[in-house]
Amino acid sequence: MYLKKKILAIIPARGGSKGIKLKNLKKINNLTLIEHVKKNCLDKLGNLIDCSIVSTDNYKILKHSKSIGLDAPFLRSKKLSGDFVDINLVIADALIKAEKIFKKNFDIIILIEPTCPLRNFVNIKKMIKKLIKSTLHGVWIISKIDNKFNPLKQLQLKNNKITFFSKNGAKIFARQQLGQTFIRNGEGYAIKKKFFLKKKNIYSKKIGYIISNEPAISIDTMSDIKYCEKLLKKNDR
């Protein structure tokens, strides 16, 4: 419990991945992506998190999660296992099952994706604290985007012709015209359960944020894994 609120952490870890087979079991610096969640986040948060649960559709991931001390008491149904499944449905499923299993009524839900092994647990704590002490519906951890990759500078190909991704892109001639943009980096999302049950969505117009200084890397390819390994070794994590 933290600031008198009961907190549930959900770790989504499906087995299917088009880029890397069983991605969540891949190792970076001798730890699987799921182990990074436990060692570098949950263990460091200690009693702040009341319960954590791994939501997976894969028996190998379930077995591995249990072997490292994480709760993984069920396999997701097939309807929650495809490439295009709404993460909000996964959260709702895990929440309902967790409250029955742990016999607790939670106040705050946090989502921790294993594909972001460079997360800083301090940001997770800040995220939760900000949510509890505000009237916000949720708080996300985000990262700044270099203006080289600003949406107004992005292009797309249509009928083998270059076009601007945004119709306003043609009006941009200097970086001074560009505002700062951000991305969801996967470090963490927090949502008040009461709001989530009402809307079945972690997004709201009343979403706060924590800006992370960690490299915004989400593991999708083997190149991402190698890059993360270099950064973790450099920072001795």
Side-chain angles (χ1 to χ4, degrees):
M1 184 177 289
Y2 183 57
L3 299 177
K4 298 182 180 181
K5 301 295 182 182
K6 291 181 181 177
I7 300 168
L8 170 68
I10 298 173
I11 302 103
R14 72 187 186 93
S17 175
K18 299 301 182 186
I20 307 174
K21 187 177 180 180
L22 288 177
K23 177 169 59 178
N24 291 297
L25 295 183
K26 291 298 180 185
K27 290 187 176 182
I28 295 179
N29 287 9
N30 298 316
L31 295 176
T32 65
L33 293 182
I34 293 176
E35 284 180 289
H36 276 283
V37 172
K38 184 178 187 297
K39 181 180 178 181
N40 297 319
C41 183
L42 296 177
D43 287 353
K44 291 182 178 180
L45 290 172
N47 294 331
L48 185 149
I49 304 296
D50 292 86
C51 300
S52 58
I53 196 165
V54 176
S55 170
T56 184
D57 57 354
N58 184 275
Y59 181 71
K60 288 183 179 179
I61 293 175
L62 181 146
K63 187 177 179 181
H64 171 69
S65 299
K66 288 184 175 181
S67 73
I68 62 173
L70 290 174
D71 282 303
F74 63 88
L75 284 174
R76 278 190 222 166
S77 65
K78 288 185 178 180
K79 68 179 182 180
L80 295 178
S81 303
D83 292 335
F84 303 103
V85 171
D86 185 347
I87 189 62
N88 294 294
L89 298 178
V90 174
I91 294 170
D93 176 68
L95 170 63
I96 291 168
K97 290 175 178 175
E99 291 196 328
K100 288 181 180 178
I101 292 164
F102 299 121
K103 295 181 172 57
K104 293 178 184 280
N105 289 313
F106 299 102
D107 303 294
I108 303 292
I109 306 162
I110 65 171
L111 185 70
I112 303 176
E113 296 174 322
T115 48
C116 181
L118 297 180
R119 70 170 44 82
N120 188 332
F121 78 97
V122 174
N123 287 337
I124 301 292
K125 189 172 182 178
K126 287 179 180 178
M127 173 183 74
I128 296 170
K129 185 176 182 180
K130 183 169 185 174
L131 179 59
I132 293 173
K133 291 196 167 187
S134 72
T135 59
L136 295 166
H137 293 149
V139 176
W140 294 5
I141 302 175
I142 61 176
S143 296
K144 290 181 179 180
I145 293 180
D146 189 312
N147 268 343
K148 295 184 184 71
F149 308 107
N150 189 289
L152 291 177
K153 295 190 72 175
Q154 291 182 19
L155 307 172
Q156 58 186 346
L157 298 179
K158 286 188 176 180
N159 299 320
N160 291 321
K161 293 182 179 179
I162 292 177
T163 62
F164 288 98
F165 179 76
S166 167
K167 63 182 180 180
N168 294 319
K171 302 175 184 177
I172 301 299
F173 300 102
R175 62 182 177 82
Q176 289 79 6
Q177 294 174 269
L178 300 168
Q180 181 65 59
T181 56
F182 301 83
I183 59 167
R184 298 176 288 172
N185 60 23
E187 271 195 69
Y189 304 82
I191 195 80
K192 290 177 179 174
K193 187 187 83 170
K194 186 176 180 181
F195 170 81
F196 180 77
L197 289 179
K198 183 178 179 180
K199 297 294 184 180
K200 296 294 190 299
N201 200 318
I202 62 171
Y203 178 73
S204 160
K205 290 183 179 179
K206 291 182 67 175
I207 290 290
Y209 59 88
I210 300 294
I211 298 176
S212 175
N213 292 319
E214 304 298 325
I217 297 176
S218 180
I219 301 296
D220 289 313
T221 66
M222 291 304 298
S223 295
D224 293 333
I225 288 179
K226 291 177 181 178
Y227 183 49
C228 276
E229 285 177 338
K230 289 181 181 179
L231 290 176
L232 288 171
K233 286 177 181 177
K234 181 179 179 181
N235 296 328
D236 194 29
R237 284 177 58 185

